[in-house]
Coordinates of all heavy atoms in Angstrom, one line a residue:
M11 N 0.8 -1.2 0.0 CA 0.0 0.0 0.0 C 0.9 1.3 0.0 O 0.5 2.3 -0.6 CB -0.9 0.0 1.2 CG -1.8 1.2 1.2 SD -2.8 1.6 2.6 CE -1.5 2.0 3.8
Q12 N 2.0 1.2 0.7 CA 2.9 2.4 0.7 C 3.3 2.8 -0.7 O 3.3 4.1 -0.9 CB 4.1 2.1 1.6 CG 4.8 3.4 2.0 CD 3.9 4.4 2.7 OE1 3.1 4.0 3.6 NE2 4.1 5.7 2.5
A13 N 3.6 1.9 -1.5 CA 4.0 2.3 -2.9 C 2.8 3.0 -3.6 O 3.0 3.9 -4.4 CB 4.4 1.0 -3.7
W14 N 1.6 2.5 -3.4 CA 0.4 3.1 -4.0 C 0.3 4.5 -3.5 O 0.0 5.4 -4.3 CB -0.8 2.2 -3.7 CG -2.0 2.6 -4.6 CD1 -2.4 2.0 -5.7 CD2 -2.9 3.7 -4.3 NE1 -3.5 2.6 -6.2 CE2 -3.8 3.6 -5.4 CE3 -3.1 4.6 -3.3 CZ2 -4.9 4.6 -5.5 CZ3 -4.1 5.5 -3.4 CH2 -5.0 5.5 -4.5
I15 N 0.3 4.7 -2.2 CA 0.2 6.1 -1.6 C 1.3 7.0 -2.1 O 1.0 8.2 -2.5 CB 0.2 6.0 0.0 CG1 -1.1 5.3 0.5 CG2 0.3 7.4 0.6 CD1 -2.3 6.0 0.3
E16 N 2.5 6.5 -2.2 CA 3.6 7.4 -2.6 C 3.4 7.8 -4.1 O 3.6 8.9 -4.4 CB 4.9 6.6 -2.5 CG 5.3 6.6 -1.0 CD 6.6 5.7 -0.8 OE1 7.3 5.4 -1.8 OE2 6.9 5.3 0.3
R17 N 3.0 6.8 -4.9 CA 2.7 7.2 -6.4 C 1.5 8.1 -6.5 O 1.6 9.1 -7.3 CB 2.5 5.9 -7.2 CG 2.3 6.1 -8.6 CD 3.5 6.7 -9.2 NE 3.3 7.0 -10.6 CZ 3.8 8.0 -11.3 NH1 4.7 8.9 -10.6 NH2 3.5 8.3 -12.5
C18 N 0.5 7.9 -5.7 CA -0.7 8.8 -5.7 C -0.3 10.2 -5.3 O -0.7 11.2 -6.0 CB -1.8 8.2 -4.8 SG -3.3 9.1 -4.9
R19 N 0.5 10.3 -4.3 CA 1.0 11.6 -3.8 C 1.8 12.3 -4.9 O 1.7 13.5 -5.1 CB 1.7 11.5 -2.5 CG 2.0 12.8 -1.8 CD 2.7 12.7 -0.5 NE 2.1 11.7 0.4 CZ 1.0 11.9 1.2 NH1 0.4 13.1 1.1 NH2 0.5 11.0 2.0
L20 N 2.7 11.6 -5.5 CA 3.6 12.1 -6.6 C 2.7 12.7 -7.7 O 2.9 13.7 -8.2 CB 4.6 11.1 -7.0 CG 5.6 11.5 -8.0 CD1 6.5 12.6 -7.4 CD2 6.4 10.3 -8.5
I21 N 1.7 11.9 -8.1 CA 0.8 12.3 -9.2 C 0.0 13.5 -8.8 O -0.1 14.5 -9.6 CB -0.1 11.1 -9.6 CG1 0.7 10.0 -10.3 CG2 -1.2 11.6 -10.6 CD1 -0.1 8.7 -10.5
A22 N -0.5 13.5 -7.6 CA -1.3 14.6 -7.1 C -0.6 15.9 -7.0 O -1.1 17.0 -7.2 CB -2.0 14.2 -5.8
A23 N 0.7 15.8 -6.7 CA 1.5 17.0 -6.5 C 2.1 17.6 -7.8 O 2.5 18.7 -7.9 CB 2.7 16.7 -5.5
G24 N 2.0 16.8 -8.8 CA 2.6 17.2 -10.1 C 1.5 17.8 -11.0 O 0.4 17.9 -10.6
P25 N 2.0 18.3 -12.2 CA 1.0 18.8 -13.1 C 0.2 17.7 -13.7 O 0.7 16.7 -14.1 CB 1.9 19.5 -14.1 CG 3.2 18.8 -14.1 CD 3.4 18.3 -12.6
L26 N -1.1 17.9 -13.8 CA -2.0 16.9 -14.3 C -2.7 17.5 -15.6 O -3.2 18.6 -15.6 CB -3.1 16.6 -13.3 CG -2.8 15.6 -12.2 CD1 -3.9 15.5 -11.2 CD2 -2.3 14.3 -12.7
D27 N -2.7 16.7 -16.7 CA -3.4 17.1 -17.9 C -4.8 16.5 -17.9 O -5.6 16.9 -18.6 CB -2.6 16.6 -19.1 CG -1.4 17.3 -19.4 OD1 -1.2 18.5 -19.0 OD2 -0.4 16.7 -20.0
G28 N -5.0 15.6 -16.9 CA -6.3 14.9 -16.8 C -6.2 13.9 -15.8 O -5.2 13.6 -15.2
I29 N -7.4 13.3 -15.4 CA -7.4 12.3 -14.3 C -7.5 10.9 -14.8 O -7.1 10.0 -14.1 CB -8.5 12.7 -13.3 CG1 -8.3 11.9 -12.0 CG2 -9.9 12.4 -14.0 CD1 -9.3 12.4 -10.9
E30 N -7.9 10.7 -16.0 CA -8.2 9.3 -16.5 C -6.9 8.5 -16.5 O -6.9 7.4 -16.0 CB -8.8 9.3 -17.9 CG -10.2 10.0 -17.8 CD -11.2 9.3 -16.9 OE1 -11.3 8.1 -16.9 OE2 -11.9 10.0 -16.2
A31 N -5.8 8.9 -17.2 CA -4.6 8.1 -17.3 C -4.0 7.9 -15.9 O -3.6 6.7 -15.6 CB -3.6 8.7 -18.3
P32 N -3.8 8.9 -15.1 CA -3.3 8.7 -13.8 C -4.1 7.7 -12.9 O -3.6 6.8 -12.2 CB -3.2 10.0 -13.1 CG -3.3 11.0 -14.2 CD -4.0 10.3 -15.3
A33 N -5.5 7.9 -13.0 CA -6.3 7.0 -12.3 C -6.2 5.5 -12.8 O -6.2 4.6 -11.9 CB -7.8 7.4 -12.4
Q34 N -6.1 5.4 -14.1 CA -5.9 4.0 -14.6 C -4.6 3.4 -14.1 O -4.5 2.2 -13.7 CB -5.9 4.0 -16.1 CG -5.9 2.6 -16.7 CD -7.1 1.8 -16.3 OE1 -8.2 2.2 -16.5 NE2 -6.8 0.6 -15.6
E35 N -3.5 4.2 -14.1 CA -2.2 3.8 -13.5 C -2.4 3.3 -12.1 O -1.8 2.3 -11.7 CB -1.2 4.9 -13.6 CG 0.1 4.5 -13.1 CD 1.2 5.7 -13.0 OE1 1.0 6.7 -13.7 OE2 2.1 5.6 -12.2
L36 N -3.1 4.1 -11.3 CA -3.3 3.7 -9.9 C -4.1 2.5 -9.8 O -3.8 1.6 -8.9 CB -3.9 4.9 -9.1 CG -2.9 6.1 -8.9 CD1 -3.7 7.3 -8.4 CD2 -1.7 5.7 -8.0
A37 N -5.1 2.3 -10.6 CA -5.9 1.1 -10.6 C -5.1 -0.1 -10.9 O -5.2 -1.1 -10.2 CB -7.1 1.3 -11.5
D38 N -4.3 0.1 -11.9 CA -3.3 -1.0 -12.3 C -2.3 -1.4 -11.2 O -2.1 -2.5 -11.0 CB -2.6 -0.7 -13.6 CG -3.6 -0.6 -14.8 OD1 -4.7 -1.1 -14.7 OD2 -3.1 0.0 -15.8
L39 N -1.9 -0.3 -10.6 CA -0.9 -0.5 -9.5 C -1.5 -1.3 -8.3 O -0.9 -2.1 -7.7 CB -0.4 0.8 -9.0 CG 0.8 0.8 -8.0 CD1 2.0 0.1 -8.5 CD2 1.1 2.3 -7.6
A40 N -2.8 -1.1 -8.1 CA -3.5 -1.8 -7.0 C -3.7 -3.3 -7.4 O -3.9 -4.1 -6.5 CB -4.8 -1.2 -6.7
A41 N -3.7 -3.6 -8.7 CA -3.7 -5.0 -9.2 C -5.0 -5.8 -8.6 O -4.8 -6.9 -8.2 CB -2.5 -5.7 -8.9
G42 N -6.1 -5.1 -8.5 CA -7.3 -5.8 -8.1 C -7.4 -6.0 -6.6 O -8.3 -6.7 -6.2
D43 N -6.5 -5.5 -5.8 CA -6.5 -5.7 -4.4 C -7.4 -4.8 -3.7 O -7.1 -3.6 -3.4 CB -5.1 -5.5 -3.9 CG -4.9 -5.9 -2.4 OD1 -5.9 -6.0 -1.7 OD2 -3.8 -6.1 -2.0
R44 N -8.6 -5.2 -3.4 CA -9.7 -4.4 -2.8 C -9.2 -3.9 -1.4 O -9.5 -2.8 -1.0 CB -11.0 -5.2 -2.6 CG -12.0 -4.6 -1.8 CD -13.1 -5.6 -1.6 NE -12.6 -6.8 -1.0 CZ -12.9 -7.2 0.3 NH1 -13.6 -6.5 1.1 NH2 -12.4 -8.4 0.7
R45 N -8.5 -4.8 -0.7 CA -8.1 -4.4 0.7 C -7.1 -3.3 0.6 O -7.1 -2.4 1.5 CB -7.5 -5.6 1.4 CG -8.7 -6.5 1.9 CD -8.1 -7.8 2.4 NE -7.6 -8.5 1.2 CZ -7.5 -9.8 1.1 NH1 -7.7 -10.6 2.2 NH2 -7.1 -10.4 0.0
L46 N -6.2 -3.3 -0.4 CA -5.3 -2.2 -0.5 C -6.0 -0.9 -0.7 O -5.7 0.1 -0.1 CB -4.4 -2.4 -1.7 CG -3.3 -1.4 -2.0 CD1 -2.1 -2.0 -2.6 CD2 -3.9 -0.3 -3.0
M47 N -7.0 -0.9 -1.6 CA -7.8 0.3 -1.8 C -8.6 0.8 -0.6 O -8.7 2.0 -0.4 CB -8.7 0.1 -3.1 CG -8.0 -0.1 -4.4 SD -7.0 1.3 -4.8 CE -8.3 2.5 -5.4
E48 N -9.1 -0.2 0.2 CA -9.8 0.2 1.4 C -8.9 0.8 2.4 O -9.2 1.8 3.0 CB -10.5 -1.0 2.0 CG -11.7 -1.6 1.2 CD -12.2 -2.9 1.7 OE1 -11.5 -3.5 2.5 OE2 -13.3 -3.3 1.2
R49 N -7.7 0.2 2.6 CA -6.7 0.8 3.5 C -6.2 2.2 3.0 O -6.1 3.1 3.8 CB -5.5 -0.2 3.7 CG -5.9 -1.4 4.4 CD -4.7 -2.2 4.9 NE -3.6 -2.3 4.0 CZ -3.3 -3.2 3.1 NH1 -4.2 -4.3 3.0 NH2 -2.3 -3.2 2.3
A50 N -6.0 2.3 1.7 CA -5.6 3.6 1.2 C -6.7 4.7 1.4 O -6.4 5.8 1.8 CB -5.3 3.5 -0.3
R51 N -7.9 4.3 1.2 CA -9.0 5.3 1.5 C -9.1 5.7 2.9 O -9.2 6.9 3.2 CB -10.3 4.7 1.0 CG -11.5 5.7 1.2 CD -12.8 5.1 0.7 NE -13.9 6.0 0.8 CZ -14.6 6.1 1.8 NH1 -14.5 5.4 2.9 NH2 -15.6 7.1 1.9
R52 N -8.9 4.8 3.8 CA -9.0 5.1 5.2 C -7.8 6.1 5.6 O -8.0 7.0 6.3 CB -8.9 3.9 6.1 CG -10.2 3.1 6.1 CD -10.3 2.1 7.2 NE -9.3 1.0 7.1 CZ -9.4 -0.1 6.4 NH1 -10.6 -0.3 5.8 NH2 -8.5 -1.0 6.4
L53 N -6.6 5.8 5.0 CA -5.4 6.6 5.3 C -5.6 8.0 4.8 O -5.4 9.0 5.4 CB -4.2 6.0 4.7 CG -2.9 6.7 5.0 CD1 -1.8 5.7 5.5 CD2 -2.4 7.4 3.8
L54 N -6.2 8.1 3.5 CA -6.4 9.4 2.9 C -7.5 10.2 3.7 O -7.4 11.4 3.9 CB -6.8 9.3 1.5 CG -5.7 8.7 0.6 CD1 -6.2 8.4 -0.8 CD2 -4.5 9.8 0.5
L55 N -8.5 9.5 4.1 CA -9.6 10.2 4.9 C -9.0 10.7 6.3 O -9.4 11.8 6.7 CB -10.8 9.3 5.2 CG -11.6 9.0 3.9 CD1 -12.7 8.0 4.2 CD2 -12.2 10.3 3.3
A56 N -8.1 10.0 6.9 CA -7.5 10.4 8.1 C -6.6 11.6 7.8 O -6.6 12.6 8.6 CB -6.6 9.3 8.7
E57 N -5.9 11.6 6.7 CA -5.1 12.7 6.3 C -5.9 14.0 6.1 O -5.5 15.1 6.5 CB -4.2 12.5 5.1 CG -2.9 11.7 5.3 CD -2.1 11.8 4.1 OE1 -1.8 12.8 3.5 OE2 -1.6 10.6 3.7
Q58 N -7.0 13.8 5.5 CA -8.0 14.9 5.2 C -8.5 15.5 6.5 O -8.6 16.7 6.6 CB -9.1 14.4 4.3 CG -10.0 15.6 3.9 CD -11.2 15.1 3.1 OE1 -11.8 14.1 3.4 NE2 -11.4 15.8 2.0
Q59 N -8.7 14.6 7.5 CA -9.2 15.1 8.8 C -8.1 16.0 9.5 O -8.4 17.0 10.1 CB -9.5 14.0 9.7 CG -10.8 13.2 9.4 CD -12.0 14.0 9.7 OE1 -12.5 14.8 8.9 NE2 -12.4 13.9 11.0
E60 N -6.8 15.6 9.3 CA -5.7 16.3 9.9 C -5.4 17.6 9.2 O -5.0 18.6 9.8 CB -4.5 15.4 9.9 CG -4.5 14.2 10.8 CD -3.3 13.3 10.7 OE1 -2.3 13.8 10.1 OE2 -3.4 12.2 11.2
R61 N -5.6 17.6 7.8 CA -5.2 18.7 7.0 C -6.3 19.0 6.0 O -6.2 18.7 4.8 CB -3.9 18.5 6.3 CG -2.7 18.3 7.3 CD -1.4 18.3 6.5 NE -1.3 17.4 5.4 CZ -1.1 16.0 5.4 NH1 -0.9 15.4 6.6 NH2 -1.0 15.4 4.3
P62 N -7.5 19.5 6.4 CA -8.6 19.6 5.6 C -8.4 20.6 4.4 O -9.2 20.5 3.4 CB -9.8 20.1 6.5 CG -9.1 20.7 7.7 CD -7.8 20.0 7.8
D63 N -7.5 21.5 4.5 CA -7.3 22.5 3.4 C -6.1 22.1 2.5 O -5.8 22.9 1.7 CB -7.1 23.8 4.0 CG -8.3 24.3 4.8 OD1 -9.4 24.0 4.4 OD2 -8.1 25.0 5.8
D64 N -5.6 20.9 2.6 CA -4.4 20.5 1.9 C -4.9 20.1 0.5 O -5.6 19.1 0.3 CB -3.7 19.4 2.5 CG -2.4 19.0 1.9 OD1 -2.3 19.2 0.6 OD2 -1.5 18.5 2.5
P65 N -4.5 20.9 -0.6 CA -5.0 20.5 -1.9 C -4.4 19.2 -2.5 O -5.1 18.6 -3.3 CB -4.5 21.7 -2.8 CG -3.4 22.3 -2.0 CD -3.7 22.0 -0.6
I66 N -3.3 18.8 -2.0 CA -2.7 17.6 -2.5 C -3.5 16.4 -2.0 O -3.8 15.4 -2.7 CB -1.2 17.4 -2.1 CG1 -0.4 18.5 -3.0 CG2 -0.7 16.0 -2.4 CD1 1.0 18.6 -2.6
V67 N -3.9 16.5 -0.7 CA -4.8 15.4 -0.1 C -6.1 15.3 -0.8 O -6.6 14.2 -1.2 CB -4.9 15.6 1.4 CG1 -5.9 14.5 2.0 CG2 -3.6 15.5 2.1
A68 N -6.7 16.5 -1.1 CA -8.0 16.5 -1.8 C -7.8 15.9 -3.2 O -8.6 15.1 -3.7 CB -8.4 17.9 -2.0
Q69 N -6.7 16.2 -3.9 CA -6.4 15.6 -5.2 C -6.2 14.1 -5.1 O -6.7 13.3 -6.0 CB -5.2 16.3 -5.9 CG -4.9 15.8 -7.3 CD -6.0 16.2 -8.2 OE1 -7.0 16.9 -8.0 NE2 -6.0 15.7 -9.5
M70 N -5.5 13.7 -4.1 CA -5.3 12.2 -3.9 C -6.6 11.5 -3.7 O -6.8 10.4 -4.3 CB -4.4 12.0 -2.7 CG -3.0 12.4 -2.9 SD -1.9 12.3 -1.4 CE -1.8 10.5 -1.3
L71 N -7.5 12.1 -3.0 CA -8.9 11.5 -2.8 C -9.6 11.4 -4.1 O -10.3 10.4 -4.4 CB -9.7 12.2 -1.7 CG -9.3 11.8 -0.3 CD1 -9.9 12.9 0.7 CD2 -9.9 10.4 0.0
S72 N -9.5 12.4 -4.9 CA -10.1 12.4 -6.3 C -9.5 11.3 -7.1 O -10.2 10.6 -7.8 CB -10.0 13.7 -7.0 OG -10.7 14.7 -6.3
L73 N -8.2 11.2 -7.1 CA -7.5 10.1 -7.8 C -7.9 8.7 -7.3 O -8.2 7.8 -8.1 CB -6.0 10.3 -7.7 CG -5.4 11.4 -8.6 CD1 -4.0 11.8 -8.1 CD2 -5.4 11.1 -10.0
W74 N -8.0 8.6 -6.0 CA -8.4 7.3 -5.4 C -9.8 6.9 -5.9 O -10.1 5.8 -6.4 CB -8.5 7.4 -3.9 CG -8.9 6.1 -3.3 CD1 -8.2 5.0 -2.9 CD2 -10.3 5.6 -3.1 NE1 -8.9 4.0 -2.5 CE2 -10.3 4.3 -2.6 CE3 -11.5 6.2 -3.3 CZ2 -11.4 3.6 -2.3 CZ3 -12.7 5.5 -3.0 CH2 -12.6 4.2 -2.5
R75 N -10.8 7.9 -5.8 CA -12.1 7.7 -6.3 C -12.2 7.2 -7.7 O -12.9 6.3 -8.0 CB -12.9 9.0 -6.1 CG -14.4 8.8 -6.2 CD -15.2 10.0 -5.8 NE -14.9 10.4 -4.4 CZ -14.3 11.5 -4.1 NH1 -13.9 12.4 -5.0 NH2 -14.0 11.8 -2.8
R76 N -11.5 7.9 -8.6 CA -11.5 7.6 -10.0 C -10.8 6.2 -10.2 O -11.3 5.4 -11.0 CB -10.9 8.7 -10.9 CG -11.1 8.5 -12.3 CD -12.6 8.4 -12.7 NE -12.8 8.1 -14.1 CZ -13.7 7.2 -14.5 NH1 -14.5 6.6 -13.7 NH2 -13.8 7.0 -15.8
A77 N -9.7 6.0 -9.5 CA -9.0 4.7 -9.7 C -10.0 3.5 -9.2 O -10.0 2.5 -9.9 CB -7.7 4.7 -8.9
F78 N -10.7 3.8 -8.2 CA -11.6 2.8 -7.7 C -12.7 2.5 -8.7 O -13.1 1.3 -9.0 CB -12.3 3.2 -6.4 CG -13.0 2.1 -5.7 CD1 -12.3 1.1 -5.0 CD2 -14.4 2.0 -5.8 CE1 -12.9 0.0 -4.4 CE2 -15.0 0.9 -5.2 CZ -14.4 0.0 -4.5
E79 N -13.2 3.5 -9.3 CA -14.2 3.4 -10.4 C -13.7 2.6 -11.6 O -14.4 1.8 -12.2 CB -14.7 4.8 -10.9 CG -15.6 5.5 -9.8 CD -15.8 6.9 -10.2 OE1 -15.3 7.4 -11.1 OE2 -16.6 7.6 -9.4
K80 N -12.4 2.9 -11.9 CA -11.8 2.2 -13.1 C -11.3 0.8 -12.8 O -11.2 0.0 -13.8 CB -10.6 3.1 -13.6 CG -11.0 4.4 -14.2 CD -9.8 5.2 -14.6 CE -9.5 5.3 -16.1 NZ -10.5 5.2 -17.1
G81 N -11.1 0.5 -11.6 CA -10.4 -0.8 -11.2 C -11.4 -2.0 -11.3 O -12.6 -1.8 -11.4
S82 N -10.8 -3.1 -11.3 CA -11.6 -4.4 -11.2 C -11.1 -5.0 -9.9 O -10.0 -5.5 -9.8 CB -11.3 -5.2 -12.4 OG -11.9 -6.5 -12.3
W83 N -12.0 -5.1 -9.0 CA -11.6 -5.5 -7.6 C -12.1 -6.9 -7.2 O -13.2 -7.2 -7.5 CB -12.2 -4.5 -6.6 CG -11.8 -3.1 -7.0 CD1 -12.7 -2.2 -7.5 CD2 -10.5 -2.5 -7.2 NE1 -12.0 -1.1 -7.9 CE2 -10.7 -1.3 -7.7 CE3 -9.2 -3.0 -6.9 CZ2 -9.6 -0.4 -7.9 CZ3 -8.2 -2.2 -7.1 CH2 -8.4 -0.9 -7.6
S84 N -11.2 -7.7 -6.6 CA -11.6 -9.0 -6.1 C -12.3 -8.9 -4.8 O -11.8 -8.2 -3.9 CB -10.3 -9.8 -6.0 OG -10.6 -11.0 -5.4
W85 N -13.4 -9.5 -4.7 CA -14.2 -9.5 -3.4 C -14.0 -10.8 -2.7 O -14.6 -11.0 -1.7 CB -15.7 -9.3 -3.7 CG -15.8 -7.9 -4.3 CD1 -16.1 -7.6 -5.6 CD2 -15.7 -6.7 -3.7 NE1 -16.1 -6.3 -5.8 CE2 -15.9 -5.7 -4.7 CE3 -15.5 -6.3 -2.4 CZ2 -15.9 -4.3 -4.4 CZ3 -15.5 -4.9 -2.1 CH2 -15.7 -3.9 -3.1
D86 N -13.1 -11.7 -3.1 CA -12.8 -12.9 -2.4 C -11.7 -12.6 -1.3 O -11.0 -11.6 -1.4 CB -12.1 -13.9 -3.4 CG -13.1 -14.3 -4.4 OD1 -14.3 -14.3 -4.1 OD2 -12.7 -14.6 -5.6
D87 N -11.8 -13.4 -0.3 CA -10.8 -13.2 0.8 C -9.5 -14.0 0.7 O -8.9 -14.4 1.6 CB -11.5 -13.6 2.2 CG -12.5 -12.6 2.6 OD1 -12.4 -11.4 2.2 OD2 -13.4 -13.0 3.3
D88 N -9.2 -14.4 -0.6 CA -8.0 -15.2 -0.8 C -6.8 -14.6 -0.3 O -6.4 -13.5 -0.4 CB -7.9 -15.5 -2.3 CG -9.0 -16.3 -2.9 OD1 -9.7 -16.9 -2.1 OD2 -9.2 -16.2 -4.1

């Protein structure tokens, strides 16, 4: 999950031409791991609570949301 968060933060802090390609990259990086995405969301929401006016955290949440929409997630407990 740390690699996912770091990549998301790097994307969010950089210049974005759009959200679709970066969100797809993040969905691919998660590789269908629903638990990774759930943990990442909880971490991002906690960060947002600590720093509600941080634009990078807000962008990370937007990227998470779109990556989740684009991803294909396994609901098995394997």
Side-chain angles (χ1 to χ4, degrees):
M11 182 192 66
Q12 193 60 39
W14 193 95
I15 291 292
E16 288 173 16
R17 183 63 185 143
C18 186
R19 190 175 311 280
L20 185 66
I21 292 169
L26 285 174
D27 290 334
I29 196 169
E30 296 302 316
Q34 186 63 58
E35 177 186 342
L36 291 168
D38 293 344
L39 186 60
D43 187 343
R44 171 189 54 109
R45 285 171 288 207
L46 179 148
M47 292 299 284
E48 289 171 350
R49 289 190 326 259
R51 182 175 183 271
R52 284 193 301 270
L53 186 132
L54 291 173
L55 289 173
E57 278 192 51
Q58 185 181 46
Q59 287 288 94
E60 293 174 16
R61 297 187 314 276
D63 297 325
D64 187 330
I66 292 175
V67 174
Q69 184 66 6
M70 289 174 74
L71 278 164
S72 295
L73 287 164
W74 180 92
R75 191 172 302 115
R76 189 63 185 131
F78 192 80
E79 291 169 353
K80 291 175 104 29
S82 174
W83 312 109
S84 172
W85 296 103
D86 296 329
D87 287 335
D88 296 337

